[in-house]
Amino acid sequence: MLAIGLLGALLARVAGIPMPYLTGALASVGVFSIWRSATGRSELQFPKRPRQLFVGLIGVMIGASFTADLVARLPGIWPSLLVMTAFVLVAMGMGYALFRVLGGYDPVTAVYSAMPGGLVEAVTLGEEAGGNVRILALQHFARIVVVVVAVPTLYFIWSGHAVGSAAGQSFTQAGWTLFDVAELVLLAIAGMWLGPKLRLPAAHLVGPLLLSAGLHGAGLLHLAGPAWLLAVSQLVVGTALGTSFSGANRRDLLRAFGLGSLYVLLVLGVAFGIATGLAPILPFDFDTLFVSFAPGGVTEMGLIALSLGISPVVVTAHHIFRIGLTVTLAGVLSRRLRARA
């Protein structure tokens, strides 16, 4: 499974596809899983514990971007973060109606399909809440692909210049040591132990994320997460998620990408309206606000910010806030939906 995932990841990297180790592995293993189920073979099962450990590592590295510098910026961006709260509510409301009515998804699956958050976070939370993992993996894979292709393409059409990872941008993690790697792993394990104790949703993701964010935001830790560790973590998680595609067919794929494209179109339309309305009254230009509100991955949106000469710290602050708020809202809604059911 990992060999097939690595092959897909390397092909995606050569093709210049954003987040290649996650999306490439997910796509290649997903296609292989669909082929196996179509030929009557047994479904692939990825071991749960290794997947959870690497999900925890991704949580730690997301939390590590919550630096003291970012915390110092928060007082200056609170008006747009307040608007982000309304944006998340509107996006989830529109998405829920779309996936429930047009998609015919069950309430829990519709809630987590409508999350304008990260692929890993949404699928992890949705699985824990009892949603359909195959649909969630397909739907968020479609959303991420559409967003990370659509936003750079829009800027290329507008400016004539490539942006993001397509332009060769990257976040270098110079100066990391084996001690940093060991501490990141220990943080992931500690967060995975602490999460259930605090009864956090998707504890093996949210626990490490919050622990890392708290320590880095307070300036107590300054760990450098090497790019290869993030790539390996995304490879493992992408491979694991790809196995959930077993049993999917052409109709499922077409529905996921059709609904995903419509959802992205609606949400980007709202982001465009917010950026247009806020640019004259906030100390941020249209590009900063639009990239901050676009529902894509933290890394790719940060790379687009670098390409446009925008502070990636400001963009990262918005996206971390969006993911945290989305996770919280989805957890509350899921508990209420399950209680009602």
Side-chain angles (χ1 to χ4, degrees):
M1 287 186 283
L2 286 170
I4 293 170
L6 179 59
L7 177 62
L10 294 176
L11 290 173
R13 182 177 179 181
V14 170
I17 296 174
M19 297 189 296
Y21 291 95
L22 178 65
T23 55
L26 200 160
S28 60
V29 176
V31 169
F32 183 69
S33 298
I34 293 171
W35 173 78
R36 278 182 64 95
S37 59
T39 54
R41 303 187 182 190
S42 59
E43 293 186 0
L44 296 174
Q45 299 290 334
F46 197 90
K48 185 176 181 180
R49 289 297 183 186
R51 184 190 69 171
Q52 289 182 339
L53 175 61
F54 284 99
V55 167
L57 277 170
I58 290 176
V60 167
M61 285 184 276
I62 292 174
S65 62
F66 198 77
T67 61
D69 182 28
L70 188 150
V71 172
R73 294 285 192 100
L74 292 180
I77 63 175
W78 71 264
S80 56
L81 293 182
L82 189 61
V83 177
M84 178 66 79
T85 304
F87 169 78
V88 168
L89 291 172
V90 170
M92 290 189 69
M94 291 191 308
Y96 180 81
L98 175 68
F99 296 120
R100 189 83 174 96
V101 177
L102 291 184
Y105 297 167
D106 65 85
V108 175
T109 302
V111 165
Y112 286 95
S113 294
M115 280 181 60
L119 185 153
V120 177
E121 295 89 338
V123 177
T124 301
L125 285 163
E127 180 183 19
E128 185 183 78
N132 188 312
V133 179
R134 184 177 74 239
I135 290 177
L136 287 169
L138 282 169
Q139 202 59 70
H140 282 285
F141 173 68
R143 175 183 64 81
I144 289 293
V145 168
V146 173
V147 170
V148 299
V149 170
V151 174
T153 301
L154 288 172
Y155 273 104
F156 179 76
I157 293 172
W158 180 261
S159 65
H161 301 289
V163 296
S165 57
Q169 295 283 0
S170 65
F171 290 117
T172 58
Q173 293 285 354
W176 64 271
T177 65
L178 289 177
F179 186 72
D180 288 330
V181 175
E183 281 198 282
L184 289 169
V185 173
L186 288 175
L187 272 179
I189 295 172
M192 292 169 65
W193 174 83
L194 185 63
K197 299 294 183 182
L198 299 178
R199 297 182 179 181
L200 296 173
H204 53 281
L205 169 70
V206 180
L209 193 158
L210 291 180
L211 179 61
S212 178
L215 293 174
H216 284 88
L220 300 176
L221 282 180
H222 304 280
L223 300 180
W228 64 263
L229 183 60
L230 179 59
V232 170
S233 300
Q234 290 181 332
L235 171 65
V236 174
V237 174
T239 298
L241 291 178
T243 62
S244 65
F245 282 20
S246 295
N249 52 39
R250 184 183 301 177
R251 180 176 176 273
D252 294 330
L253 291 170
L254 291 175
R255 179 177 63 174
F257 275 90
L259 292 173
S261 297
L262 183 56
Y263 176 68
V264 169
L265 180 65
L266 291 171
V267 175
L268 286 181
V270 175
F272 181 89
I274 289 174
T276 302
L278 292 182
I281 59 177
L282 292 181
F284 305 119
D285 59 17
F286 172 86
D287 287 338
T288 301
L289 291 167
F290 182 70
V291 176
S292 294
F293 280 84
V298 176
T299 301
E300 185 60 25
M301 295 302 107
L303 294 177
I304 291 174
L306 279 178
S307 299
L308 297 172
I310 299 169
S311 170
V313 174
V314 172
V315 172
T316 299
H318 283 83
H319 284 289
I320 290 179
F321 180 80
R322 170 176 58 82
I323 291 173
L325 179 62
T326 302
V327 166
T328 302
L329 288 175
V332 172
L333 288 173
S334 176
R335 284 193 292 270
R336 291 188 177 182
L337 288 169
R338 293 180 68 184
R340 185 181 299 175

